[in-house]
Amino acid sequence: MEVIKIRSLKKIYNPDTVPVHAVDGIDTEFQSGEFTAIVGPSGCGKTTFLNLVGGLESPTEGEIFINGENISHKKKSQMTDFRLHNIGFVFQAYNLIPVMSAYENVAFIMELLGRPQSEIKTRVMELLDAMGVADKAGQRPHQLSGGQQQRVAVARALASKPKFILADEPTANLDSHSTETLLDLMLKMNEKEGTTIIFSTHDQRVMNKARRLVQMDDGKIVGNGKPEAN
Amino acid sequence: MKKIFILAWRNLWRNKKRTAITLASITFAVIIATFMRGMQLGSYEKMLNDAMRSTSGHLGIMGKDYWDDKSLINSMPIDDELGAILEKNDLVQITIPKITSGCLASFGDATRGVMVLGVDPEKEDFQSGMKNKMLEGEFLNSDHSIVIGKDLAKYLKAGIGDSVVLLGQGYQGVTAAGLYPITGIFSHPLGQLNKRVVYITIPTAEELFFMYGRLSSNSIILHDYTDEDKIVEAIAEKLDTGLYEMKDWRVMNKEILQGIESDNFFGVIMIGILYMVIGFGIFGTILMMTMERRKEFSVMIAIGMKRRKLLSVIIVEAVYMAIIGSILGLILAFPLVLFYHFNPIEFTGDTAELYYQLNMEPILPVSIKPGYMVSQFLVVLVLSLVASTLPLNTILKLDIVKVIRGRQ
């Protein structure tokens, strides 16, 4: 089933001065349950593409359909609500809320959604357990290692059972061991929860774990298919 | 909703030192402002109380036109029925009848213009505690005698037993003249009274001014001045407005109230400046707290937290600071205020003399009325809310993509 459909997507920065075509006419789809890596050199438009799909930025041209709903022209406030209900995010720098414990960080989105405490407790502990950080539930981000923080961030992204998760270079700040562990856990959750996961990377080891590779260059998709080494 | 309060509370203590410094500045400002305002209001209360207790009373009944022209021709006949109503009314503490007129007081070669007050000794003592202010002799223990202030006695070079001539104009233009022995000399904290006032009993005044069955005024002192309207209502029907008129303490102390108003204006400006400085402090803290968390806020918005909710976190943080700072300030200021209420600051030297000349007791009590303390709290609360306005704008205009990417 098609979760994301993208048509003639363009993002041009500084259109009136020095136009930068960060995303330059992309047409693609992402199916439910995919584990896709967006790859390409720095500055090729990976992050902008993810931001557009995640509704963090508005496209200059083109359309993005999430589960058949066109999100290209939604207002900021509508998009915030849409993201809350449909999209999970994992950032390169983890970006957990420092004044909240690991448990609270994961529970936060469910609380924003107004889910009952009993459901939140079960779901959060289940996710933390699955990500191997259940014993860190009461600890604040600064008490966790980078790898542990990113695992909590993945648990946070999964908490609301979103349609898909966007992860922008989730392993860029991790050592190889943590990278391996995190990707294995993400794959496991992808299989277990059936959540579509799209992540950007330029790390070959990470690309090897992906089930689909979308190659970008100069804002365009230049390759699309299964990774050779996988 | 609960999460917003928890988040705000934790955020407040992320930088403990900064929060502590901001709270200390709010606390300190509230202490200073409370004490300054307390002194100011206390001095006004004292001023009005002095005036009401020693002269005007809370309400005054007087002859028609007496207020505008305080001559005996405008004095009023004694209304026994009205007097009885007032005596019986539980809200009335006491009524104080007076005959007041100017005279010349003369002894030996010295003469001075004085104010002769014909009073009921017991009631006058109740009103102004004259028995305790006696330096020599007693306060009006008999008719046909006078009690004078120490400065007047000094000026006239007269003492107990000496007879002073009082010469003036009586009721309906008759000559008022009499020779009265001094039976007491008083020392009043209100300086002018020592120089200018001569006390006699009402019967003596009636005889001197030839105004039997008449009074200049009848002051009413209430247990609680807020019952003023009830008394006005109670006697309104009985008061013959063709003969009498009634004035409340505001009218009778108009000059004092005007003075208070202008002094109050400057006092409020001073406190306003103090709070403005504190307001900038609060603003700086909230702005810093907002700017340094822009990335965190951007992430929160990205994962689905509405900006509106983020704004409420900032507002709650500001409110927390205001509440903690001002409550701490009030808790610390209260003992200070209480101490100086019961142990007023006493002025000495030239300042005291100035107070005496203004007919005021040279002390500065601090008011303990809760109203002005609550208003300090409200002012800080409003200030904090205002100070959080600009940081709120920062959140509303946050470009979350740029911030997350570290480009803003």
Side-chain angles (χ1 to χ4, degrees):
Chain A
M1 199 184 91
E2 198 175 76
V3 181
I4 305 166
K5 187 166 88 176
I6 292 157
R7 290 288 170 265
S8 312
L9 190 67
K10 281 189 182 179
K11 181 67 183 179
I12 307 169
Y13 293 113
N14 316 317
D16 302 325
T17 52
V18 188
V20 176
H21 294 257
V23 172
D24 195 9
I26 288 180
D27 288 274
T28 190
E29 291 91 26
F30 294 91
Q31 304 298 320
S32 176
E34 272 188 13
F35 193 74
T36 307
I38 312 287
V39 299
S42 288
C44 71
K46 301 187 294 287
T47 301
T48 303
F49 177 69
L50 289 183
N51 286 342
L52 290 168
V53 176
L56 297 176
E57 288 186 85
S58 305
T60 311
E61 279 178 39
E63 282 162 337
I64 303 162
F65 297 89
I66 310 283
N67 266 17
E69 188 179 348
N70 189 342
I71 65 159
S72 320
H73 309 294
K74 277 186 186 288
K75 288 179 186 167
K76 271 186 183 177
S77 57
Q78 289 174 318
M79 244 356 274
T80 305
D81 204 44
F82 187 84
R83 285 196 299 270
L84 176 65
H85 287 88
N86 297 284
I87 311 172
F89 285 92
V90 179
F91 302 94
Q92 182 180 329
Y94 331 129
N95 290 333
L96 297 175
I97 301 165
V99 291
M100 288 182 179
S101 66
Y103 176 93
E104 288 169 326
N105 264 286
V106 180
F108 185 60
I109 290 193
M110 296 182 78
E111 281 167 350
L112 288 178
L113 285 165
R115 301 271 166 81
Q117 278 304 317
S118 55
E119 185 192 329
I120 293 174
K121 194 176 176 184
T122 312
R123 174 77 176 151
V124 173
M125 287 317 295
E126 181 189 296
L127 285 169
L128 289 176
D129 191 41
M131 299 305 291
V133 282
D135 57 330
K136 310 286 179 194
Q139 296 191 357
R140 297 260 177 105
H142 71 272
Q143 295 168 306
L144 304 174
S145 69
Q148 288 167 336
Q149 285 190 56
Q150 198 61 306
R151 279 187 264 162
V152 174
V154 172
R156 177 176 71 180
L158 284 162
S160 64
K161 297 186 178 166
K163 304 263 180 338
F164 60 94
I165 288 176
L166 297 173
D168 187 12
E169 309 245 10
T171 58
N173 289 357
L174 302 180
D175 57 40
S176 57
H177 174 69
S178 299
T179 299
E180 185 86 6
T181 311
L182 184 80
L183 285 168
D184 287 343
L185 285 168
M186 283 170 74
L187 261 170
K188 190 178 101 185
M189 294 312 288
N190 167 252
E191 282 163 14
K192 190 182 166 196
E193 304 242 335
T195 313
T196 308
I197 299 179
I198 304 165
F199 58 96
S200 66
T201 186
H202 52 254
D203 184 335
Q204 191 60 50
R205 289 168 303 172
V206 179
M207 292 177 208
N208 292 341
K209 295 272 182 184
R211 303 244 166 79
R212 178 186 165 195
L213 280 182
V214 174
Q215 181 88 37
M216 283 186 73
D217 200 7
D218 286 338
K220 293 185 173 74
I221 292 179
V222 292
N224 193 348
K226 293 193 173 184
E228 286 165 16
N230 204 14
Chain B
M1 197 64 192
K2 190 180 159 196
K3 202 79 198 172
I4 287 173
F5 287 97
I6 295 172
L7 252 179
W9 180 253
R10 290 184 187 169
N11 282 332
L12 203 63
W13 300 107
R14 280 165 90 153
N15 190 330
K16 291 188 182 73
K17 267 186 196 164
R18 186 178 56 205
T19 303
I21 289 168
T22 309
L23 287 178
S25 69
I26 297 173
T27 303
F28 189 65
V30 170
I31 293 173
I32 299 276
T34 305
F35 193 65
M36 271 169 65
R37 192 74 183 137
M39 279 203 295
Q40 205 177 12
L41 295 178
S43 71
Y44 300 158
E45 285 165 20
K46 177 84 179 74
M47 237 185 271
L48 285 169
N49 265 331
D50 281 352
M52 284 191 269
R53 291 272 161 198
S54 63
T55 54
S56 71
H58 296 115
L59 285 167
I61 297 175
M62 54 202 75
K64 194 165 171 57
D65 301 330
Y66 179 79
W67 184 250
D68 297 322
D69 176 12
K70 292 185 179 63
S71 72
L72 295 179
I73 197 76
N74 290 325
S75 61
M76 62 178 182
I78 294 172
D79 184 334
D80 293 330
E81 197 187 347
L82 188 65
I85 290 170
L86 289 170
E87 291 288 336
K88 280 181 196 163
N89 195 308
D90 290 339
L91 303 177
V92 175
Q93 193 173 17
I94 196 167
T95 58
I96 298 166
K98 273 194 180 96
I99 294 173
T100 314
S101 187
C103 273
L104 289 174
S106 181
F107 179 74
D109 295 335
T111 300
R112 175 177 267 182
V114 296
M115 181 60 68
V116 175
L117 295 179
V119 298
D120 176 317
E122 294 307 318
K123 289 186 170 184
E124 185 63 24
D125 179 50
F126 177 85
Q127 186 180 31
S128 47
M130 285 308 295
K131 286 183 181 174
N132 290 328
K133 294 185 173 77
M134 299 308 295
L135 277 181
E136 290 178 62
E138 288 181 24
F139 182 66
L140 296 179
N141 55 358
S142 63
D143 290 334
H144 304 289
S145 65
I146 61 170
V147 170
I148 65 173
K150 60 176 182 181
D151 294 335
L152 181 61
K154 193 175 169 188
Y155 179 79
L156 295 176
K157 295 188 182 102
I160 300 286
D162 291 332
S163 289
V164 172
V165 172
L166 293 179
L167 180 65
Q169 195 179 50
Y171 182 55
Q172 291 181 324
V174 299
T175 300
L179 185 66
Y180 300 97
I182 299 170
T183 55
I185 295 172
F186 66 83
S187 171
H188 201 286
L190 306 181
Q192 285 296 314
L193 302 189
N194 294 329
K195 290 176 186 167
R196 301 274 174 200
V197 167
V198 171
Y199 282 104
I200 56 177
T201 61
I202 285 179
T204 309
E206 285 179 322
E207 189 186 276
L208 172 66
F209 297 116
F210 214 73
M211 51 178 292
Y212 300 98
R214 298 186 77 83
L215 291 171
S216 297
S217 64
N218 199 0
S219 303
I220 302 167
I221 293 179
L222 306 174
H223 290 288
D224 181 352
Y225 76 94
T226 57
D227 290 329
E228 177 190 309
D229 291 342
K230 291 177 193 164
I231 295 297
V232 171
E233 202 178 311
I235 60 173
E237 278 182 23
K238 301 286 173 193
L239 198 71
D240 180 350
T241 51
L243 283 175
Y244 303 96
E245 62 182 350
M246 186 151 50
K247 301 282 181 192
D248 66 28
W249 62 270
R250 290 172 205 82
V251 175
M252 293 188 287
N253 298 292
K254 210 172 177 178
E255 290 81 9
I256 296 177
L257 281 174
Q258 280 169 348
I260 286 174
E261 213 169 281
S262 68
D263 188 74
N264 188 38
F265 176 74
F266 289 108
V268 168
I269 288 201
M270 287 301 292
I271 289 175
I273 292 169
L274 176 70
Y275 274 131
M276 214 159 79
V277 173
I278 296 309
F280 279 112
I282 299 172
F283 168 73
T285 302
I286 296 174
L287 187 63
M288 268 194 280
M289 284 170 74
T290 309
M291 298 306 275
E292 72 188 13
R293 284 183 290 161
R294 280 185 310 161
K295 188 169 184 188
E296 191 179 315
F297 290 153
S298 298
V299 169
M300 287 164 111
I301 295 167
I303 63 176
M305 188 174 191
K306 290 198 171 77
R307 286 176 199 247
R308 180 164 43 85
K309 279 197 175 171
L310 264 182
L311 299 187
S312 45
V313 173
I314 300 288
I315 292 171
V316 173
E317 285 170 17
V319 168
Y320 273 147
M321 271 200 287
I323 291 175
I324 298 170
S326 50
I327 286 181
L328 259 177
L330 287 176
I331 288 172
L332 293 174
F334 192 66
L336 197 68
V337 166
L338 212 59
F339 178 81
Y340 281 103
H341 175 75
F342 291 110
N343 304 282
I345 298 162
E346 283 183 39
F347 296 115
T348 53
D350 290 344
T351 314
E353 188 53 36
L354 184 70
Y355 268 74
Y356 283 133
Q357 281 170 10
L358 293 168
N359 260 358
M360 288 162 60
E361 214 178 335
I363 58 167
L364 187 55
V366 178
S367 172
I368 50 168
K369 282 190 176 166
Y372 79 91
M373 298 191 209
V374 173
S375 65
Q376 307 308 314
F377 172 76
L378 293 175
V379 166
V380 174
L381 195 64
V382 171
L383 258 179
S384 303
L385 291 175
V386 172
S388 61
T389 316
L390 195 66
L392 296 187
N393 199 38
T394 306
I395 291 178
L396 286 174
K397 290 184 174 169
L398 208 59
D399 184 333
I400 58 172
V401 173
K402 278 189 181 170
V403 175
I404 291 173
R405 282 182 168 188
R407 291 180 187 167
Q408 196 181 66

